[in-house]
Amino acid sequence: MIDRLQTLEDRYNKLNELLSDPEIVNDTKKLRDYSKEQSDLSDVVQAYREYKDIDKQLKDAKEMLEEDLDDEMYEMTKDEIQELSSAKEELEEKMKILLLPKDPNDDKNVFIEIRGAAGGDEAALFAGDLYRMYSRYAESHGWKTEVMEAHTTGVGGYKEIIFMINGNGAYSKLKFENGAHRVQRVPETESGGRIHTSTATVAVLPEAEEVEVEVHDKDIRVDTFASSGPGGQSVNTTMSAVRLTHLPTGIVVSIQDEKSQIKNKEKAMKVLRARIYDKFQQEAQAEYDETRKSAVGTGDRSERIRTYNFPQNRVTDHRIGLTIQKLDQILQGKLDEFVDALQLEEQAKKLEQIGE
C-alpha cells in the first residue's frame, strides 16, 4: 500500500509541474484533464503526507524511550507514542478507503426520473413529495435543479417528472436512490382515516458526455407534435413537443416542457444519451456481476428500497436495516444520514471483496 501511495504522491507532484507549464495552460483539454486528476488525488495524497509525518514522529518518540529519561518524561513519551500509534492506525484505515476503486460516474451530474406507480392519485402525490425532497437536498449542497419534463395530475402530483441536478459529486450521493419507494399514510381524500400504501419508482442516471455515448443521427427518429396538458388537451398549437426514438435500442424520450422545439430537442438528447449510457452500464454490470448482489441493493428499479411511514414519522431503508424517526425532516431534504450510511456500506463491501 505504501508503494502505491508513494507513486500517487509522485504523480501529484508531477501534475503540479505540468499545471505550471505554459504549454499546458494554453491547452484547454489538457488543463482540464490534469486539473481533474490532481483534484482526484488531493485527498489521498494529503492523508499520505500526514501519515508520513506521524510515522516520523512515532519513530522519534520510540528512540527517545531508549534514552536516559526521568520518570515524568518517560510517561509523557509513552502517552505520546500511544496517541501517535492510534492516529497512525486511523490514517491507515482512511487511506485503504481512499484507495478503493472509484465509480467513474461519481463526480457527474444526474438525471432523476420519478414515476407514480401503485396507488393512483396518492402515488402521484408521493412522487411530488420525492421530487421536492431531492430538490431541497440539492439546494442544501449548492447544486442546481432543472426540470426536463413533467406530467402533472389534477390533484397536484406527478404521473412522471424528469429533472437534472447539476453538481460535483451528485451521482456519488444520489445513486443509491434507484428503486421503488413506498409510502404509508392516510390520504387527504380518505374520509375513514385508513392508512393506504402507495409506491413511486426512482431512476438515477449519470449524465453522459458525447464522447462516452456515440449517438448517430441516422439512428434517431425525430417526431414533433403539439404539447398537451392534463387530460390530453392541447396547450400549444405549434409543433414544439419532440419525441426521439433511438432505433438500435428502442429507447424513446418525449419532451414538451419548453415552448421552443429546439430547446425541447436539446433536453431530449441529454436524457436520451443518459438512458443509452445507463442501459449499456446495466448490461455490462449484469454480465460482470451475474451472481453477486451488492449489500446496498441491486439498483433494480423494481426493488423496494425504502418505506416512508407517516403515522410513526419514520423512514426505513430496507437494504441496510436503518430506521430514522425524522420523516418530516427527511422530506425537507435532510437525507445525509441515509446517504452516509449507504456510502459506508458500499465501502465495506468493496473492502470485503478486495480481501476475498
Side-chain angles (χ1 to χ4, degrees):
M1 183 175 80
I2 298 302
D3 288 343
R4 187 178 170 198
L5 287 163
Q6 187 57 56
T7 300
L8 293 177
E9 186 185 28
D10 292 342
R11 176 59 180 168
Y12 185 85
N13 292 334
K14 179 64 177 177
L15 288 166
N16 270 338
E17 293 177 20
L18 289 169
L19 290 169
S20 301
D21 186 328
E23 280 190 30
I24 302 299
V25 172
N26 292 323
D27 187 325
T28 307
K29 186 181 183 305
K30 283 186 177 179
L31 183 65
R32 183 181 66 246
D33 291 347
Y34 288 154
S35 295
K36 185 182 184 307
E37 186 183 354
Q38 186 191 51
S39 175
D40 290 344
L41 289 174
S42 61
D43 285 347
V44 69
V45 169
Q46 183 180 342
Y48 177 52
R49 287 173 175 173
E50 192 177 339
Y51 172 85
K52 288 195 294 183
D53 183 52
I54 287 175
D55 190 51
K56 183 179 183 304
Q57 291 180 55
L58 189 57
K59 286 176 182 175
D60 292 344
K62 286 179 178 178
E63 286 176 7
M64 278 186 69
L65 279 185
E66 298 174 7
E67 298 175 6
D68 188 16
L69 303 174
D70 59 40
D71 291 346
E72 184 181 357
M73 195 64 181
Y74 183 82
E75 290 302 321
M76 284 177 62
T77 305
K78 276 184 66 178
D79 289 343
E80 184 183 5
I81 288 172
Q82 190 173 353
E83 288 176 13
L84 289 168
S85 297
S86 178
K88 183 180 176 182
E89 285 178 14
E90 286 180 15
L91 274 171
E92 283 173 347
E93 291 304 311
K94 180 180 178 180
M95 290 188 299
K96 280 181 188 177
I97 290 170
L98 288 169
L99 286 172
L100 288 173
K102 189 178 179 184
D103 187 328
N105 294 318
D106 274 354
D107 293 333
K108 292 184 176 180
N109 302 325
V110 295
F111 290 98
I112 299 182
E113 304 180 359
I114 304 175
R115 294 176 176 85
D121 285 345
E122 177 62 14
L125 287 169
F126 181 49
D129 291 336
L130 292 176
Y131 164 62
R132 285 182 286 276
M133 178 180 77
Y134 293 128
S135 297
R136 287 161 182 159
Y137 179 73
E139 188 180 343
S140 71
H141 284 76
W143 301 336
K144 292 182 179 178
T145 302
E146 179 187 4
V147 174
M148 310 300 284
E149 181 74 342
H151 296 277
T152 58
T153 61
V155 295
Y158 291 101
K159 182 180 177 183
E160 174 189 50
I161 181 166
I162 303 170
F163 58 102
M164 184 179 188
I165 294 179
N166 286 275
N168 187 38
Y171 186 76
S172 70
K173 293 183 177 293
L174 290 167
K175 62 184 175 183
F176 305 109
E177 298 304 305
N178 262 334
H181 295 241
R182 181 174 69 170
V183 62
Q184 295 172 327
R185 64 183 172 190
V186 179
E188 291 180 14
T189 55
E190 174 58 55
S191 57
R194 292 177 301 170
I195 295 173
H196 285 223
T197 298
S198 306
T199 58
T201 60
V202 175
V204 181
L205 316 179
E207 182 183 20
E209 302 291 338
E210 288 186 40
V211 293
E212 294 172 309
V213 178
E214 197 172 359
V215 181
H216 301 288
D217 289 342
K218 65 181 177 63
D219 292 333
I220 298 175
R221 186 177 74 235
V222 181
D223 297 306
T224 58
F225 54 97
S227 60
S228 60
Q233 77 269 29
S234 176
V235 296
N236 191 343
T237 55
T238 62
M239 305 293 278
S240 61
V242 174
R243 182 188 299 111
L244 301 183
T245 304
H246 186 243
L247 301 175
T249 62
I251 293 172
V252 179
V253 177
S254 296
I255 298 289
Q256 61 176 29
D257 197 57
E258 301 283 350
K259 292 180 180 178
S260 160
Q261 186 184 114
I262 294 173
K263 288 183 179 179
N264 280 330
K265 188 177 180 183
E266 285 175 358
K267 282 188 173 184
M269 275 303 299
K270 284 185 178 181
V271 176
L272 180 67
R273 195 175 286 115
R275 286 188 185 171
I276 294 169
Y277 182 66
D278 181 63
K279 177 180 170 62
F280 291 158
Q281 276 202 312
Q282 296 268 349
E283 289 173 353
Q285 183 65 26
E287 186 178 336
Y288 170 78
D289 203 17
E290 190 173 349
T291 55
R292 182 191 293 275
K293 287 189 177 181
S294 165
V296 295
T298 61
D300 189 334
R301 307 282 147 72
S302 64
E303 180 187 12
R304 190 190 73 202
I305 63 165
R306 200 175 290 152
T307 295
Y308 303 72
N309 184 291
F310 274 69
Q312 297 177 24
N313 194 40
R314 65 172 166 82
V315 181
T316 299
D317 194 292
H318 304 290
R319 297 163 294 181
I320 53 176
L322 176 62
T323 295
I324 300 174
Q325 304 282 152
K326 302 174 185 175
L327 180 144
D328 51 339
Q329 294 182 35
I330 287 162
L331 288 179
Q332 289 297 318
K334 296 182 179 177
L335 281 168
D336 285 319
E337 282 187 71
F338 280 121
V339 171
D340 293 345
L342 287 160
Q343 286 183 322
L344 283 172
E345 189 73 16
E346 182 187 49
Q347 290 167 359
K349 194 64 179 177
K350 285 180 179 178
L351 286 168
E352 183 183 309
Q353 290 172 6
I354 289 172
E356 290 177 358

